[in-house]
Amino acid sequence: MLFDLFREIIWSLAGNKVRSSLTILGIVIGIASVITMVSIGQGAQATIESNIQSIGSNLIIVMPGASRNAGPVSAGRGSAQTLTLDDVTAITTQINNINSVAPEVSRRYQITAKGNNTNTQVVGTTPSYLNVRNVKMDLGAFLTDQQTKASTKVAVLGPTARDDLFGTDANPIGSKIRINNVDFDVIGVTMAKGGSGFNNPDNNVYVPITAAQHFLSGNSYVSDISVAAKDQASMASVQQDITDLLLKRHNITDPTQADFNLMNQTDIIATATSITGTFTILLSSIAGISLLVGGIGIMNMMLTTVTERTREIGLRKAVGIRRIYINLQFLGEAVVLTFMGGGLGVFLGYLASLGAKDFLNLNTEISVSAIVLAFSVSAGVGIIFGFYPARRAANLSPIEALRYE
Amino acid sequence: MISCKNLTKIYKNGDIETRALDDVSFTVEKGEFVAIIGPSGSGKSTLMHIIGALDTPTGGKYFLDGKEVSKMKENELSDLRREKIGFVFQSFNLLKRTTVLRNVMLPLIYSGMSMKEREKKARAMLEYAGLEKKLFKNLSNQLSGGQMQRVAIARALINDPAIILADEPTGNLDTKTSRLVMKSFQELHKKGHTIVLITHEDEVATFAERIISIRDGKIEKDEKNG
């Protein structure tokens, strides 16, 4: 019996190859497009998130505020030189719940090495920068406390800066670079972080902060102070403590007149989350519409064959085949079509996602929930619209079904 | 073999009642070749649907082979149609894009019979119905009208039914093919099959040995032919 049923299903589907393959095609395209869309979307989201993570975790950045000389005219945020190494020491020693503190003196300089020449960000900092900003070393070592104390003229290159100055993947350790006409020894190369844009950390050159102050900026101010809080929970209290401490140190009583700004990574994440949220909504809508269109396609395919199939059902009933077998056959046909289409669609969607990664250089993440959702929606639509009209036809009397126009 | 007692069939369409059959009684014995003739709207198709267990009467009783069909449930009706009745339709009703052999085997699926046996039986029936052997593997839609009707006759015969019911079997055929098909019905009759034929053409009815005329849901005449 089961074997007969199976054979009827296969014969019926194989007997009408055009109808079967068009139905399968509809399902394949619906499912594959949803899976591809969602994996591209999730990949993009993951890229944005990892870019934000690459800044460093639980990071608070203290920046100089606008310089005000008792008047309404502001010279712009960050323009003032109000933070010093003493502030850094005070934060390090007096604030609880922090992991590390790294001051920075950064500015763009022209750098030359062996006739190559580039213009990039030179960051004067301390060894704790490594922890605060999640920097990892590829070659050599990062700056040491000893070098910071002694204003040693050493430099650590970001991989892009290294590529520009010494050629791709060269080992520059032991070579000299010339920053603003001062020679620095290269002692290390950092690992690529994959950030991008104007402030690409891979393009930085790191030198001891004291060396940057003595030989490059010529004063004792710092451009900003990066503070890594112990954990996410202590961010708010640390931020408050730093504000209080600096207000006190700078003799400012009115917090609105503060000559510094605090920015934390949570703010950045919040912004980014709202961006990726919009992104997710956009992609979900695209996926939803593809699913809807695919579903309607499947529905149409299934419904347009009803007339012809109703007469077939009438004939089957007239020659004495029981209703249950007719129902089972049509259910089976719908299941076989949707599962074949579904399987192919998942496979194709998977390939397309991998293809987008390899050929379009998009970061894609294949999402199991998208596969399950796309598959179950199209299988549901296919089975309902394949089976329901057939069931209705099988409930008609054989004469009515035979005469169906 | 067939025994109809006071059959009535009333179709309701809103408030309007149509009495398609009105107190029809007759019997058909085993081995008879009966033509039921009448103009369209006379109720002959309704009668044939009831005899064929495709429909149930509103009133009256219908016995086939001693069993009361008018009381049967759906599955019993299905089984009865499969085992006792062979249908030949005006529009042939073959499965398209399906081979001749598979069309003939259709009533045998879910019967538990092996494929080999089914095919053997189908071949035998097709030969019996007079279809050329080279056409057995053709698709049904590649055949001519006469050939299609022979396939339909082979399908009707495959379960060795008690009666063969033919509903306007020549309605879609030209005169020459009609005669050939009617001749094959006559041959089946000679071989001992019971045949009930529905038609509106007097000429077709003359092939039968008994003619029942129906008009307005009632039997008008019931007479031996010739």
Side-chain angles (χ1 to χ4, degrees):
Chain A
M1 291 293 189
L2 213 63
F3 192 60
D4 276 334
L5 185 66
F6 191 66
R7 194 161 42 205
E8 279 300 301
I9 291 168
I10 298 305
W11 266 345
S12 181
L13 293 178
N16 207 326
K17 289 191 184 68
V18 176
R19 185 177 70 204
S20 304
S21 43
L22 281 177
T23 312
I24 289 177
L25 187 70
I27 300 171
V28 166
I29 288 174
I31 289 187
S33 61
V34 171
I35 291 174
T36 316
M37 286 291 164
V38 173
S39 58
I40 290 174
Q42 295 210 328
Q45 204 168 339
T47 308
I48 294 172
E49 270 163 19
S50 83
N51 276 354
I52 292 166
Q53 278 309 317
S54 76
I55 299 170
S57 38
N58 305 325
L59 188 67
I60 297 165
I61 299 171
V62 186
M63 295 190 302
S67 63
R68 274 174 204 282
N69 292 317
V73 180
S74 163
R77 273 166 202 274
S79 60
Q81 294 183 318
T82 53
L83 300 172
T84 61
L85 279 177
D86 291 340
D87 288 331
V88 177
T89 318
I91 291 172
T92 316
T93 52
Q94 292 175 36
I95 305 285
N96 293 323
N97 290 329
I98 56 175
N99 268 350
S100 42
V101 179
E104 246 182 74
V105 175
S106 30
R107 219 184 122 184
R108 297 185 79 84
Y109 290 100
Q110 200 68 23
I111 303 174
T112 53
K114 291 195 209 156
N116 289 331
N117 158 359
T118 183
N119 184 294
T120 191
Q121 186 87 357
V122 176
V123 178
T125 188
T126 62
S128 44
Y129 191 89
L130 213 56
N131 290 326
V132 177
R133 290 299 185 104
N134 275 347
V135 177
K136 294 196 172 55
M137 296 306 293
D138 185 18
L139 296 169
F142 199 66
L143 311 169
T144 63
D145 282 325
Q146 184 56 40
Q147 288 161 344
T148 312
K149 268 183 202 139
S151 308
T152 318
K153 286 180 277 181
V154 291
V156 173
L157 305 182
T160 312
R162 183 265 316 268
D163 291 350
D164 289 347
L165 291 169
F166 293 97
T168 307
D169 290 337
N171 183 350
I173 290 175
S175 315
K176 279 189 194 313
I177 58 172
R178 180 171 276 257
I179 307 172
N180 206 23
N181 290 324
V182 182
D183 280 336
F184 285 78
D185 290 316
V186 177
I187 56 165
V189 177
T190 63
M191 202 98 95
K193 284 179 82 172
S196 59
F198 185 66
N199 252 333
N200 185 354
D202 289 349
N203 206 10
N204 284 351
V205 171
Y206 306 98
V207 298
I209 187 160
T210 43
Q213 287 174 331
H214 291 157
F215 303 112
L216 301 175
S217 72
N219 61 42
S220 61
Y221 294 109
V222 301
S223 332
D224 62 58
I225 306 168
S226 301
V227 182
K230 205 176 69 191
D231 49 37
Q232 189 78 34
S234 52
M235 292 281 281
S237 67
V238 170
Q239 206 168 339
Q240 190 57 50
D241 292 349
I242 295 174
T243 311
D244 293 345
L245 177 73
L246 290 180
L247 285 174
K248 209 171 99 194
R249 285 181 56 81
H250 295 186
N251 292 321
I252 298 165
T253 44
D254 181 2
T256 59
Q257 293 295 315
D259 57 358
F260 57 90
N261 282 313
L262 263 67
M263 197 176 74
N264 72 38
Q265 203 199 7
T266 326
D267 298 339
I268 306 170
I269 288 178
T271 313
T273 308
S274 88
I275 294 169
T276 57
T278 316
F279 211 68
T280 310
I281 291 170
L282 170 78
L283 281 152
S284 315
S285 329
I286 294 173
I289 291 167
S290 329
L291 212 55
L292 188 75
V293 171
I296 291 172
I298 298 165
M299 192 175 84
N300 278 346
M301 221 43 232
M302 293 292 192
L303 288 180
T304 44
T305 59
V306 163
T307 309
E308 188 189 322
R309 308 238 52 195
T310 300
R311 300 175 75 162
E312 182 189 331
I313 288 168
L315 172 69
R316 284 175 185 272
K317 290 196 77 167
V319 300
I321 296 171
R322 287 187 178 198
R323 189 164 66 188
I324 175 84
Y325 292 122
I326 296 173
N327 280 338
L328 282 175
Q329 180 190 335
F330 279 76
L331 181 64
E333 283 183 25
V335 168
V336 170
L337 283 181
T338 49
F339 275 69
M340 276 173 76
L344 268 171
V346 169
F347 182 65
L348 206 74
Y350 185 79
L351 282 188
S353 304
L354 291 184
K357 197 175 211 163
D358 287 350
F359 299 112
L360 302 178
N361 259 328
L362 287 171
N363 185 15
T364 57
E365 257 179 31
I366 292 155
S367 139
V368 176
S369 56
I371 291 178
V372 171
L373 180 78
F375 191 90
S376 46
V377 167
S378 59
V381 171
I383 290 170
I384 288 168
F385 289 98
F387 176 58
Y388 177 70
R391 203 184 83 102
R392 222 180 35 188
N395 281 339
L396 292 176
S397 90
I399 330 154
E400 278 178 273
L402 274 174
R403 282 184 186 157
Y404 190 86
E405 298 286 338
Chain B
M1 175 78 33
I2 291 176
S3 164
C4 298
K5 282 180 187 152
N6 313 104
L7 286 182
T8 49
K9 178 76 185 179
I10 296 165
Y11 292 108
K12 273 189 192 166
N13 193 351
D15 286 340
I16 306 156
E17 282 191 359
T18 315
R19 201 167 267 262
L21 284 182
D22 190 1
D23 200 17
V24 172
S25 303
F26 67 96
T27 55
V28 175
E29 298 305 324
K30 188 172 162 52
E32 272 194 285
F33 184 2
V34 183
I36 297 175
I37 186 167
S40 66
S42 61
K44 61 180 192 305
S45 287
T46 308
L47 182 59
M48 129 116 196
H49 292 149
I50 290 172
I51 296 173
L54 293 167
D55 206 350
T56 47
T58 318
K61 286 179 175 176
Y62 165 42
F63 295 91
L64 175 63
D65 240 6
K67 284 178 206 149
E68 188 172 354
V69 181
S70 38
K71 276 192 177 164
M72 286 183 177
K73 295 272 181 309
E74 189 188 310
N75 277 343
E76 291 174 286
L77 288 174
S78 281
D79 295 349
L80 183 87
R81 287 197 292 271
R82 190 173 64 241
E83 285 155 14
K84 301 274 179 196
I85 302 164
F87 290 97
V88 179
F89 301 94
Q90 176 178 1
S91 49
F92 321 127
N93 282 322
L94 301 178
L95 293 177
K96 288 174 195 165
R97 295 174 287 266
T98 302
T99 62
V100 165
L101 274 173
R102 260 197 64 212
N103 263 291
V104 177
M105 290 188 288
L106 183 68
L108 296 179
I109 55 172
Y110 312 122
S111 67
M113 198 184 277
S114 78
M115 275 307 282
K116 244 188 189 160
E117 256 179 287
R118 288 183 209 180
E119 194 172 324
K120 202 174 137 194
K121 212 167 164 185
R123 283 178 182 279
M125 286 305 141
L126 282 164
E127 277 177 58
Y128 192 78
L131 191 79
E132 291 167 73
K133 250 186 180 164
K134 62 174 185 190
L135 297 173
F136 287 7
K137 298 242 165 173
N138 279 28
L139 297 183
S140 63
N141 36 329
Q142 299 166 336
L143 304 182
S144 71
Q147 289 166 337
M148 285 201 219
Q149 204 54 302
R150 279 175 211 282
V151 175
I153 291 170
R155 184 180 64 196
L157 289 171
I158 196 149
N159 264 329
D160 194 18
I163 54 167
I164 295 166
L165 270 181
D167 184 9
E168 303 269 12
T170 59
N172 283 358
L173 302 175
D174 59 55
T175 320
K176 198 180 149 206
T177 325
S178 292
R179 280 210 193 99
L180 285 172
V181 168
M182 287 317 295
K183 281 247 160 58
S184 36
F185 275 113
Q186 273 186 329
E187 269 163 47
L188 291 176
H189 171 232
K190 274 180 201 147
K191 285 169 182 164
H193 294 276
T194 313
I195 300 166
V196 177
L197 174 90
I198 311 277
T199 184
H200 65 275
E201 289 173 80
D202 292 336
E203 205 207 324
V204 171
T206 55
F207 285 87
E209 52 166 21
R210 177 182 163 195
I211 300 173
I212 299 176
S213 307
I214 286 200
R215 188 175 283 269
D216 297 332
K218 290 184 172 147
I219 293 182
E220 203 178 45
K221 263 193 288 182
D222 184 348
E223 55 191 13
K224 287 267 171 214
N225 181 24

